[in-house]
Structures are given as C-alpha cells and as structure tokens.
Amino acid sequence: MNLGPYRKIALDGLWHNNQALVALLGLCPLLAVSSTVVNSLGLGLATTVALVFSNGVVSLVRNHITPEVRLPVFVLVIAANVTVIELLMSAFFHDLYKILGIFIPLIVTNCAIIGRAEAFASKNTVDRAVLDGLFMGLGFTAALMALGAFREIIGTGALLNRAELMFGEGARNWSMRIIENYDGFLLAVLPPGAFIGLGLIIALKNVIDARANVRSHATAPQTASFDPAARKA
C-alpha cells in the first residue's frame, strides 16, 4: 500500500498548507475566540468534526450532482453538519457553547470548510477526503491553541483557565500559574492582541520553513557541471 499520498495530505493539513497560517482562512473565529486555550480547543474540535463529515459527504455525492448546483449543495451539507454539532455542544458543553456563541453556527461560513469541499473533497475518494478534513481541522485547531496559549499566558500569566468547561468538574484544578506575581497584560486578551499574536506565529512558521529550505539545499547532492574548455585542456 502506497502511503505517500496520505502522508502528503497529513503534512499539508498540519503544516505546509495550514488553513490558518498559510491559506489565512477562517481568521474571524481564529481571532475572536482564541483568548484562552479552552475556548480555542472547543472551537477547533467543532471545526474539525465539521470538516471531516462535510468532506466525507461531499466526496460521496460528488458524482451525483451537477456543477451548477454543487456550491449550494456543499453549503447545505456543511450547514446540516454544523447544526448537529451545535445541538450536541449545547447539550453536553453548554457553558462553553454560550461562551463561543455565534461563532459555532458561523462555522457554516468558514471559508476553510467550503474551500476544502470545493478544492479537495469534490475531486477525491472518500478516504482521502475524510483524511484531508481531519488533518486540516487538526492543523487549524493547533494554530488556534497556539494563539490561545500565547494570549492566555501573556494576558493573565496562567494556562488552562476554566478547563472544566471542556473536561468537566474534575479539570477545575488544571489551571497552571506560568508567571508568578503577574498582573497581566490587557492588550493580549483584547482583539489587537489576537492580530499581534497571529502575526508572530506566522512569522515563526516562516522562519522555520526558511531554515528548513536552507538545510535541504545544503545537504542536497551537488551535480558536477560539464566545462567544455576544461575538457579540451
């Protein structure tokens, strides 16, 4: 079994084509709810589930719909999935659901989801479409959590505040004080802090990619050039 295509799908979703850090899609919820890790994880997992099921259904019906109606069908599929996710979150994570508010139903309009349905799921088999949705969602969730951790630590000096919203009452004591005797930095938890934090994370990713490219070129075998003048000599 050739795992090459599946490995590429995973790496694209997690790093090379990360929807938040490379494609820069879904920035509205990314910036709006990423003030804490718990909020980021909640929205990230909801988006991942929506991506997985939407990609899978779109791949299943791709040969049964005409090009003229494909986008309305994709939106309908995504809206149905998000409605189920919204009802489940309201039932089992109601406090977190209230905090995330309008950004749960707004997953329907997330360009990352409709973009993957159009660009990938509608052109590939179900297994690849589902895998693409999974890793695109995990990459989006990782970016959300990284931004949430940055803002929470800089803004409050702590991490995993209100973890019980996601993990139940047993997680009430999970909060960690990262910076002792720290009064907090208000800008980090305000909207400008989200833009600054995202910019820094994108810059860090670009630096890592640039260094990786330099190392790959340095270790690549050098091909000998043919010099006609030297041959005649």
Side-chain angles (χ1 to χ4, degrees), residues 47-64:
T47 305
T48 300
V49 174
L51 271 165
V52 169
F53 282 96
S54 298
N55 270 18
V57 174
V58 166
S59 180
L60 281 173
V61 303
R62 63 194 171 98
N63 295 322
H64 304 286

Side-chain angles (χ1 to χ4, degrees), residues 130-155:
V130 168
L131 194 68
D132 177 79
L134 175 63
F135 282 102
M136 286 293 170
L138 291 177
F140 184 78
T141 302
L144 261 173
M145 292 183 66
L147 181 57
F150 172 83
R151 295 179 65 191
E152 189 172 2
I153 292 172
I154 301 300

Side-chain angles (χ1 to χ4, degrees), residues 5-23 44 48 51 116 131-146 201 205 208-209:
Y6 298 99
R7 183 174 182 272
K8 183 180 185 303
I9 290 172
L11 291 177
D12 281 348
L14 294 174
W15 188 260
H16 299 307
N17 192 28
N18 187 293
Q19 296 297 281
L21 304 181
V22 178
T48 300
L51 271 165
R116 297 317 296 171
L131 194 68
D132 177 79
L134 175 63
F135 282 102
M136 286 293 170
L138 291 177
F140 184 78
T141 302
L144 261 173
M145 292 183 66
I201 293 173
K205 181 187 183 302
I208 294 173
D209 286 340

Side-chain angles (χ1 to χ4, degrees), residues 37-202:
V37 171
V38 173
N39 291 355
S40 300
L41 179 60
L43 184 65
L45 291 180
T47 305
T48 300
V49 174
L51 271 165
V52 169
F53 282 96
S54 298
N55 270 18
V57 174
V58 166
S59 180
L60 281 173
V61 303
R62 63 194 171 98
N63 295 322
H64 304 286
I65 55 176
T66 61
E68 293 78 12
V69 299
R70 71 184 190 283
L71 287 180
V73 170
F74 294 168
V75 173
L76 183 63
V77 168
I78 296 168
N81 286 322
V82 171
T83 300
V84 174
I85 293 168
E86 184 180 6
L87 292 173
L88 290 173
M89 287 193 69
S90 179
F92 295 102
F93 304 97
H94 189 67
D95 290 336
L96 180 61
Y97 169 77
K98 289 192 297 183
I99 291 174
L100 296 179
I102 190 63
F103 293 101
I104 297 297
L106 278 179
I107 292 175
V108 176
T109 62
N110 191 321
C111 295
I113 299 179
I114 190 68
R116 297 317 296 171
E118 170 69 13
F120 193 92
S122 63
K123 300 178 178 65
N124 287 273
T125 57
V126 175
D127 57 337
R128 295 190 181 189
V130 168
L131 194 68
D132 177 79
L134 175 63
F135 282 102
M136 286 293 170
L138 291 177
F140 184 78
T141 302
L144 261 173
M145 292 183 66
L147 181 57
F150 172 83
R151 295 179 65 191
E152 189 172 2
I153 292 172
I154 301 300
T156 67
L159 193 63
L160 290 178
N161 285 321
R162 305 198 69 186
E164 69 275 7
L165 295 174
M166 188 80 190
F167 302 102
E169 289 301 317
R172 190 171 290 275
N173 297 322
W174 286 12
S175 178
M176 297 179 289
R177 174 58 56 180
I178 305 299
I179 307 174
E180 297 292 340
N181 301 319
Y182 181 64
D183 294 330
F185 185 51
L186 182 59
L187 179 65
V189 296
L190 292 176
F195 282 97
I196 295 171
L198 180 62
L200 291 174
I201 293 173
I202 293 174

